[in-house]
Amino acid sequence: MKNKGLNILMMLLISSITVFGQSPKAKKPTPQYKDPLDRKVDSVLAKMNLDEKIGQLTLFTSDWDVTGPTIRKGYADDIRSGKCGNIFNAHTADYNRKLQEIAMKETRMKIPLLFGYDVIHGYKTIFPIPLGEAASWDMTAIERSARIAAEEASAAGLHWTFAPMLDISRDPRWGRCTEGSGEDVYLGSLIGAARTRGFQGKIGSTSSVVACAKHFAAYGAAQAGRDYHTVDLSDVSLWETYLPPFKACVDAGALTFMTSFNEINGVPSTANKPLLTDILRKKWGFKGFIVTDYTSINEMVNHGNVADEKEAGEKSINAGVDMDLQGAVYYNYLKKSLAEGKVSQLTVDNAVRRVLKLKFQLGLFDNPYKFSDTEREKRVVFSKENREAARDMARKSIVLLKNDNMTLPLSKNKTIAVVGPLADSKIDLIGSWSGAGDGNACVSLLEGIKKAAPSATIMHAQGCDLENNFPSMNQPKLSMDGFAEAIRITKQADVVVVAVGERGWMTGEAACRADITLPGVQKDLILELVKTGKPVVVVLLNGRPLAIPEVADKATAIVEAWFPGTEGGNAVADVLFGDYNPSGKLPMTFPRSVGQVPLFYCEKNTGRPFDANNKYTSKYMDMANTPQYPFGFGLSYTTFSYENLSADKPMFGFNDKITVSFTLKNTGNRDGEEIAQLYVRDLVGSITRPLKELKRFQKVLLKAGESKVISFTLTTDDLAFYHPNLEKKAEAGDFDIMVGGSSDAVKTVRVTLK
Ligand code: BGC
């Protein structure tokens, strides 16, 4: 009885508390956490005030002047007050420790800063530009390059890189094609995933750097190849061409994404909810955070889809953007937007949760200084092994475009004239977006040649300059005065090596060119050297496909070396003298003229395909349709044949696999590597299909005379395509499966899907 009475009393008490809403249980149901980190995140979040929350969504820059790294006083104060929780462009272990100390010792919440930087193709040891690396088609080497970049960057205090850049680009006028993997979706997707794995390594370890898949999305489809320009695209093209590399990075575990500057069909990416929330988060299951590109929220005012920055901020965060890079829009207006009910507290909290979670995943709450180890920095950055790896990657990225009379490789006992405006350049070899790279630490081509061939007689003349106030529109004609000396030494030599191309700064962001020929009088220099009758070996150092029709016609040999990085001169010399047999293949088409652009291998047939005898077919009156050098093209010092192509069955069902085999033979007298490529054409589709699409490739090392049977297995998924309702599926019918060493040199077998 006594107990019963007590029970009733207790029940009454509990129910009255519940009725008045004061039961701690009823008010705050304990959240169920699948991931224990989420509990930690919430316990931090619960203690934060609104300024501190917005601070976690704010990313400001640090600077670098002649005295070393610095930070603007205002930004240092913002770190102190908790109004800036993330910094980019700050690097070196010592300096980042100092900034981290402000966050850890002088702020109320003691939330560690996240340090980001554009480590695109190396931190200090610079590897070839990404477009160059793509020419290696070597996923192991590309992943290793990103791993080394991460090892160096993390040793220098960095947590996060704004890479990989995944923008498919089919327009060489666009300066940023240098940062990507070229024109192909399949190759670009594999490379994006390899770079993501390489940068991130094992998240939480001290050598892991968080990847940022950028620029989401379709930035490379800018009209007229002009940076930041409008993108107008069908949904099918968006899904088929521009989104797959991003999806591949989500699958590879990329933890952050960056929006792009452009609009797509009238909607700036930074406010594109279908893209950021519906596709990226909901459909693909991306769990990390999304950062804007540099002031891309603010730029919506210029785009004209918002009246002011405050509205731009509201559209961005409501679309799914978590962090504002340098724009200070969240910093300035988010509080007001919340007060006005334009943005919900939950939206802000969820964005903050994502940022905090990454900091937990990196282990920064346990040890905010774990990436600031000066000893490790000294040991790792610019190590001998890293330079060796950069040299190897550079060799693998070189593409041999022409080699008449087997002029290459050169003998090391000859007299060699080394000329051209880039022959003794160092700084240009690292290209754009070269992080903390140091031009002075580069090996120039002249140095590389001298080192590789000590018994050769080497003469050098610059020949001409590369630019004169470039990119001024009224560029006065450059002087040809240096030609005479270049011609004089060439006449005395057995062969001339001419290093021409672009300056590093002529590609990259805001470095578009309407004229993609060799700048200045470089072409004239080459043509004058050809007149000497000596073999002319052209080494191209550049960041985009160039239009070089006369050079392609007249030079004896052409080596595409891109911007090859710190060890560039050594790597090119390795190829010139045959210490390395080139195996690179073009990841982007080289047009004959800018007038053909955009020109890419996977074009469609049209209703009036080219017919030389019929004027009313799809062609130019003044130029061939074909490129100078197609996608997938690249020579070797040996030759390869593709024989006995067959499919294991002529017909296959939707749940079957089909295996295509052929014999690849090294038909020359040197060992060499070939990148064997497989393309598919769907002959009849309910919507039209490209003439060919890359679906598989394999890099194969064969000894002279050796042959090997290569097999590729395809599933129906490899034959599927996006339909207008955005369903991806294959259709029954005939398919041509093509194999070869270039997109234009292919043998075909026909199979039927039933
Ligand atoms: C570029 C991004 C880069 C960012 C931060 C922007 O201008 O478009 O690719 O990551 O700056 O440096």
Side-chain angles (χ1 to χ4, degrees):
M1 277 300 281
K2 207 177 166 192
N3 272 352
K4 199 177 172 196
L6 194 67
N7 280 351
I8 290 170
L9 199 69
M10 285 297 289
M11 276 169 65
L12 279 173
L13 200 65
I14 288 169
S15 65
S16 72
I17 289 172
T18 313
V19 166
F20 293 110
Q22 286 170 8
S23 158
K25 228 178 168 183
K27 190 181 172 200
K28 281 191 182 163
T30 316
Q32 297 298 311
Y33 293 102
K34 274 198 214 125
D35 182 343
L37 282 190
D38 291 331
R39 181 192 302 279
K40 293 188 177 177
V41 165
D42 272 2
S43 69
V44 175
L45 188 76
K47 296 183 198 114
M48 293 169 76
N49 64 36
L50 188 52
D51 280 330
E52 289 158 345
K53 288 182 181 177
I54 296 172
Q56 289 304 309
L57 309 183
T58 297
L59 173 61
F60 284 148
T61 188
S62 166
D63 300 299
W64 197 275
D65 66 20
V66 278
T67 60
T70 59
I71 185 131
R72 292 170 217 178
K73 181 166 178 321
Y75 292 163
D77 290 343
D78 288 331
I79 297 174
R80 255 175 219 112
S81 63
K83 288 172 88 173
C84 168
N86 313 284
I87 291 287
F88 72 115
N89 289 338
H91 55 102
T92 66
D94 241 351
Y95 176 58
N96 286 14
R97 173 181 285 270
K98 281 189 196 121
L99 292 183
Q100 194 68 294
E101 275 171 357
I102 305 180
M104 300 318 294
K105 295 184 180 161
E106 301 182 47
T107 67
R108 193 183 77 88
M109 281 302 297
K110 305 197 180 347
I111 299 174
L113 293 168
L114 183 72
F115 294 117
Y117 193 41
D118 289 278
V119 180
I120 308 295
H121 52 115
Y123 169 69
K124 198 96 182 163
T125 307
I126 302 301
F127 283 65
I129 50 165
L131 188 63
E133 288 197 352
S136 73
W137 299 47
D138 187 328
M139 298 311 128
T140 311
I142 290 173
E143 184 172 335
R144 185 161 84 128
S145 158
R147 185 86 290 273
I148 289 172
E151 274 162 8
E152 290 198 356
S154 60
L158 289 159
H159 310 138
W160 180 29
T161 176
F162 304 133
M165 193 271 218
L166 303 155
D167 303 311
I168 297 295
S169 49
R170 295 175 170 179
D171 194 328
R173 291 172 297 183
W174 191 50
R176 302 200 79 167
C177 65
T178 199
E179 293 172 53
S181 301
E183 73 187 45
D184 185 61
V185 183
Y186 177 70
L187 182 62
S189 301
L190 291 180
I191 292 175
R195 289 208 167 108
T196 300
R197 289 193 302 272
F199 285 131
Q200 295 196 161
K202 191 171 171 305
I203 290 289
S205 76
T206 44
S207 70
S208 168
V209 165
V210 172
C212 183
K214 75 182 188 186
H215 307 83
F216 197 54
Y219 184 33
Q223 285 173 0
R226 214 175 73 204
D227 213 356
Y228 319 121
H229 206 353
T230 311
V231 172
D232 197 277
L233 207 60
S234 74
D235 278 345
V236 167
S237 293
L238 179 69
W239 278 87
E240 188 160 292
T241 305
Y242 295 95
L243 294 186
F246 289 96
K247 169 71 164 60
C249 284
V250 173
D251 294 344
L255 287 174
T256 72
F257 259 61
M258 182 185 283
T259 65
S260 57
F261 285 125
N262 55 285
E263 66 158 74
I264 305 176
N265 306 339
V267 182
S269 298
T270 307
N272 194 328
K273 192 170 185 181
L275 196 61
L276 304 179
T277 298
D278 300 343
I279 298 175
L280 179 57
R281 289 200 193 288
K282 294 192 181 153
K283 199 170 167 64
W284 295 350
F286 172 70
K287 296 276 184 305
F289 75 73
I290 302 173
V291 65
T292 69
D293 202 346
Y294 204 109
T295 63
S296 66
I297 301 184
N298 318 58
E299 290 165 25
M300 275 190 237
V301 177
N302 286 340
H303 275 292
N305 67 320
V306 294
D308 53 30
E309 290 187 350
K310 180 172 152 292
E311 189 190 350
E314 290 157 4
K315 281 214 158 137
S316 301
I317 197 158
N318 288 330
V321 170
D322 302 303
M323 193 183 284
D324 175 0
L325 190 153
Q326 198 57 25
V329 174
Y330 289 179
Y331 176 98
N332 285 324
Y333 306 106
L334 201 51
K335 235 173 162 173
K336 191 154 186 267
S337 302
L338 263 155
E340 289 173 2
K342 303 262 173 56
V343 174
S344 75
Q345 186 64 52
L346 183 66
T347 302
V348 173
D349 284 355
N350 281 342
V352 178
R353 280 191 175 97
R354 293 183 194 113
V355 176
L356 293 178
K357 179 140 182 196
L358 187 76
K359 295 183 179 185
F360 272 109
Q361 285 171 303
L362 288 173
L364 292 176
F365 279 94
D366 293 334
N367 179 4
Y369 306 108
K370 66 191 263 199
F371 293 81
S372 285
D373 172 350
T374 46
E375 276 308 300
R376 181 162 85 94
E377 185 178 35
K378 263 196 224 123
R379 195 175 66 248
V380 170
V381 173
F382 241 158
S383 70
K384 201 165 154 278
E385 302 81 67
N386 291 0
R387 288 193 75 131
E388 204 34 64
R391 178 174 181 164
D392 189 48
M393 184 78 245
R395 288 191 295 232
K396 291 186 159 107
S397 71
I398 290 171
V399 186
L400 180 64
L401 295 176
K402 185 176 182 188
N403 194 15
D404 278 359
N405 318 320
M406 291 297 281
T407 302
L408 293 176
L410 300 175
S411 148
K412 291 187 179 173
N413 300 313
K414 294 275 163 89
T415 300
I416 306 171
V418 182
V419 308
L422 294 172
D424 202 20
S425 168
K426 289 169 174 275
I427 182 78
D428 292 301
L429 299 197
I430 58 178
S432 65
W433 289 117
S434 35
D438 176 3
N440 293 323
C442 274
V443 181
S444 78
L445 178 58
L446 183 62
E447 289 169 342
I449 288 178
K450 283 183 176 164
K451 230 176 8 174
S455 51
T457 305
I458 310 289
M459 296 178 290
H460 170 237
Q462 186 178 309
C464 66
D465 223 328
L466 198 160
E467 84 284 39
N468 191 350
N469 296 331
F470 187 98
S472 149
M473 306 284 261
N474 307 315
Q475 180 173 332
K477 188 114 174 103
L478 280 162
S479 165
M480 296 191 185
D481 292 352
F483 283 20
E485 176 61 3
I487 292 166
R488 189 186 70 77
I489 63 167
T490 298
K491 284 184 176 161
Q492 292 174 14
D494 298 309
V495 59
V496 58
V497 174
V498 204
V500 293
E502 300 177 296
R503 293 256 179 251
W505 53 264
M506 288 180 184
T507 56
E509 184 174 353
C512 301
R513 293 180 59 205
D515 173 0
I516 54 167
T517 59
L518 286 169
V521 291
Q522 298 181 98
K523 178 194 76 186
D524 309 69
L525 173 66
I526 294 167
L527 298 182
E528 286 306 312
L529 295 172
V530 167
K531 287 186 194 156
T532 64
K534 296 290 166 84
V536 177
V537 176
V538 173
V539 174
L540 293 172
L541 297 158
N542 51 298
R544 54 155 62 80
L546 296 171
I548 48 162
E550 291 107 318
V551 175
D553 188 30
K554 297 273 166 44
T556 324
I558 304 176
V559 173
E560 173 54 78
W562 315 102
F563 292 124
T566 308
E567 285 287 323
N570 285 333
V572 178
D574 287 340
V575 166
L576 292 178
F577 294 108
D579 295 320
Y580 183 86
N581 188 355
S583 59
K585 302 275 188 182
L586 292 178
M588 203 170 165
T589 303
F590 273 49
R592 295 170 194 275
S593 153
V594 76
Q596 297 177 305
V597 167
L599 182 65
F600 47 95
Y601 84 92
C602 57
E603 63 181 16
K604 301 225 177 144
N605 201 33
T606 81
R608 295 188 178 193
F610 174 84
D611 177 350
N613 300 317
N614 183 350
K615 177 174 185 209
Y616 294 96
T617 56
S618 183
K619 61 176 189 266
Y620 301 104
M621 287 197 296
D622 53 355
M623 188 168 296
N625 281 5
T626 53
Q628 190 72 58
Y629 299 112
F631 172 84
F633 174 77
L635 303 170
S636 161
Y637 294 150
T638 187
T639 46
F640 298 94
S641 71
Y642 290 72
E643 302 297 340
N644 311 324
L645 173 64
S646 67
D648 64 348
K649 37 183 139 17
M651 274 189 200
F652 64 112
F654 277 77
N655 296 319
D656 284 350
K657 289 181 176 152
I658 185 153
T659 298
V660 174
S661 306
F662 56 93
T663 307
L664 180 66
K665 182 166 188 201
N666 180 341
T667 47
N669 50 15
R670 265 177 183 265
D671 301 352
E673 278 178 299
E674 168 73 330
I675 299 168
Q677 302 154 42
L678 180 146
Y679 296 86
V680 167
R681 179 180 179 189
D682 183 346
L683 276 102
V684 180
S686 56
I687 58 171
T688 59
R689 304 301 305 141
L691 285 169
K692 59 186 69 143
E693 294 174 278
L694 182 73
K695 293 292 175 187
R696 293 283 187 278
F697 61 86
Q698 193 179 326
K699 200 166 180 174
V700 188
L701 173 65
L702 290 178
K703 298 211 173 312
E706 192 188 355
S707 54
K708 199 171 170 183
V709 175
I710 309 292
S711 296
F712 291 116
T713 298
L714 300 172
T715 66
T716 358
D717 199 44
D718 295 307
L719 310 177
F721 61 91
Y722 285 98
H723 288 68
N725 65 359
L726 299 182
E727 191 189 348
K728 192 181 180 197
K729 61 172 195 227
E731 290 177 358
D734 289 345
F735 292 83
D736 277 348
I737 302 189
M738 299 159 263
V739 297
S742 163
S743 63
D744 74 339
V746 286
K747 300 212 158 156
T748 306
V749 60
R750 185 161 293 178
V751 296
T752 307
L753 174 64
K754 297 206 325 165

